[in-house]
Amino acid sequence: MVLNDVQFCAFMKTATDLNTNQIYKVFDMLDVDGSGAMDFDEFYLLICILIAVQDKAEKNFIYRHSRAVFDLLDEDSSGNISAYEFETFGFLFNLHGEAIQTIFREFDVSGDQELDYSEFKMFAMACIDRQSEIESSKENKSNFIFESTARFCRSCTVM
């Protein structure tokens, strides 16, 4: 199974909110062998990314697949991700504007305005820590609501 760029664009317009320009950027990014067609492995990777984004687990995805994500974002295969590459392709992982600037400020240890894989890996580890904090916060909030509701219900039956 292969999809050409027109078929890919039609699929992505129905499956995502990305604009045509972004869709073609994704196509070029995922067409790692430069064949002009999306083969099954490339399409499978896309589906995994889309599911992670839909489930708001993109940070977890970045952490668990840091090498694959790094290679996707490294458009010129230089072994480094520039701020331009991050800005150009980061939207696929819900990384935009200020978030990208913050990433470079915090994780560009060498100060060369690029992230090598070890710097990117530090970012990926921070992503998973942040995801854990978010999930813990949601769990605590859920527990608080449940406990508050239970106390309210108990007080209603006492009356």
Side-chain angles (χ1 to χ4, degrees):
M1 171 194 101
V2 297
L3 295 174
N4 64 32
D5 58 341
V6 175
Q7 293 166 322
F8 179 80
C9 187
F11 166 76
M12 291 294 284
K13 283 186 177 190
T14 61
T16 70
D17 294 332
L18 300 178
N19 64 44
T20 302
N21 187 35
Q22 291 173 319
I23 290 171
Y24 280 105
K25 284 180 184 179
V26 171
F27 181 84
D28 291 340
M29 177 175 44
L30 291 170
D31 182 20
V32 292
D33 61 1
S35 66
M38 180 85 33
D39 66 26
F40 180 78
D41 291 338
E42 294 161 338
F43 186 72
Y44 181 75
L45 178 59
L46 169 71
I47 296 302
C48 292
I49 293 168
L50 293 177
I51 290 170
V53 170
Q54 177 187 353
D55 292 347
K56 299 194 183 330
E58 54 272 86
K59 291 174 181 70
N60 196 351
F61 185 90
I62 290 170
Y63 172 73
R64 297 205 179 279
H65 306 282
S66 60
R67 177 44 85 177
V69 173
F70 180 85
D71 291 341
L72 286 174
L73 294 175
D74 183 16
E75 178 187 30
D76 62 2
S77 300
S78 66
N80 294 303
I81 301 173
S82 67
Y84 171 78
E85 289 169 322
F86 230 125
E87 289 173 17
T88 302
F89 300 110
F91 69 88
L92 188 57
F93 300 98
N94 280 331
L95 300 170
H96 307 277
E98 183 61 34
I100 292 171
Q101 294 169 7
T102 301
I103 291 166
F104 273 83
R105 240 187 343 265
E106 291 182 23
F107 298 101
D108 181 18
V109 177
S110 63
D112 61 359
Q113 301 302 308
E114 295 184 326
L115 298 181
D116 62 21
Y117 181 66
S118 63
E119 292 167 329
F120 183 80
K121 186 70 175 177
M122 287 189 303
F123 158 67
M125 290 177 1
C127 277
I128 199 64
D129 289 344
R130 179 69 181 131
Q131 188 73 39
S132 296
E133 288 173 13
I134 291 168
E135 289 170 4
S136 176
S137 174
K138 285 180 184 177
E139 187 177 302
N140 289 342
K141 190 177 203 179
S142 177
N143 287 340
F144 174 76
I145 291 170
F146 175 75
E147 290 169 3
S148 297
T149 304
R151 279 194 301 272
F152 176 75
C153 289
R154 282 192 301 271
S155 68
C156 289
T157 57
V158 170
M159 295 177 157

